[in-house]
Amino acid sequence: MNALPAGMVAKYLGKTTSALANASKAAYKAADNIAGWVPKNKHLLDSTAKRARKFNSNSLNDVRSIVQEALRSPDTKFMPNPDGGFRVVTDLGRKIGSKGETSIRIAVGENGKIWTAFPVK
């Protein structure tokens, strides 16, 4: 098999994209733009929603910090989201949910916009 010249390899690799690379890029974009995201009220601790999964804090800054950390984590798992975009699931190794959850699920669009985020078991 003949090897490609270095310039052609770089050109070829530069045009190669994968679903994982796209998801990672969108996750980092979402983390960079975390200040523009507001969690749904039902996911905050002081919510009266009975079945919603809630963060163990009602501080907007605390919740944003948790989501941003999860989006930038090297242990993040990316999965397709049934409604488009993708899901980011990260176990942060500490309690972040009101029911002892240590993981978080974040739905992110391919444009880097966070759709929702909440603690999961």
Side-chain angles (χ1 to χ4, degrees):
M1 178 178 213
N2 293 334
L4 293 173
M8 288 184 69
V9 170
K11 182 177 178 182
Y12 176 77
L13 291 176
K15 291 186 177 185
T16 301
T17 59
S18 69
L20 181 58
N22 290 340
S24 180
K25 186 185 296 185
Y28 273 95
K29 183 176 181 180
D32 290 344
N33 297 320
I34 196 73
W37 174 72
V38 178
K40 294 179 181 179
N41 284 336
K42 69 181 183 178
H43 296 304
L44 296 176
L45 186 59
D46 61 353
S47 170
T48 58
K50 296 191 190 278
R51 296 188 66 195
R53 298 200 183 222
K54 302 171 188 158
F55 291 96
N56 62 2
S57 174
N58 62 355
S59 163
L60 181 59
N61 287 335
D62 288 349
V63 172
R64 283 180 175 160
S65 178
I66 290 167
V67 171
Q68 188 176 49
E69 178 184 350
L71 289 167
R72 290 184 174 154
S73 172
D75 299 324
T76 295
K77 297 176 186 166
F78 295 94
M79 294 173 272
N81 191 41
D83 298 326
F86 57 93
R87 290 180 181 175
V88 173
V89 179
T90 307
D91 185 345
L92 295 173
R94 66 181 188 284
K95 291 181 183 179
I96 60 165
S98 61
K99 298 174 186 165
E101 299 94 341
T102 61
S103 295
I104 183 171
R105 180 187 302 161
I106 309 164
V108 179
E110 291 181 17
N111 61 356
K113 183 177 179 185
I114 300 171
W115 295 341
T116 190
F118 50 88
V120 293
K121 291 251 178 205

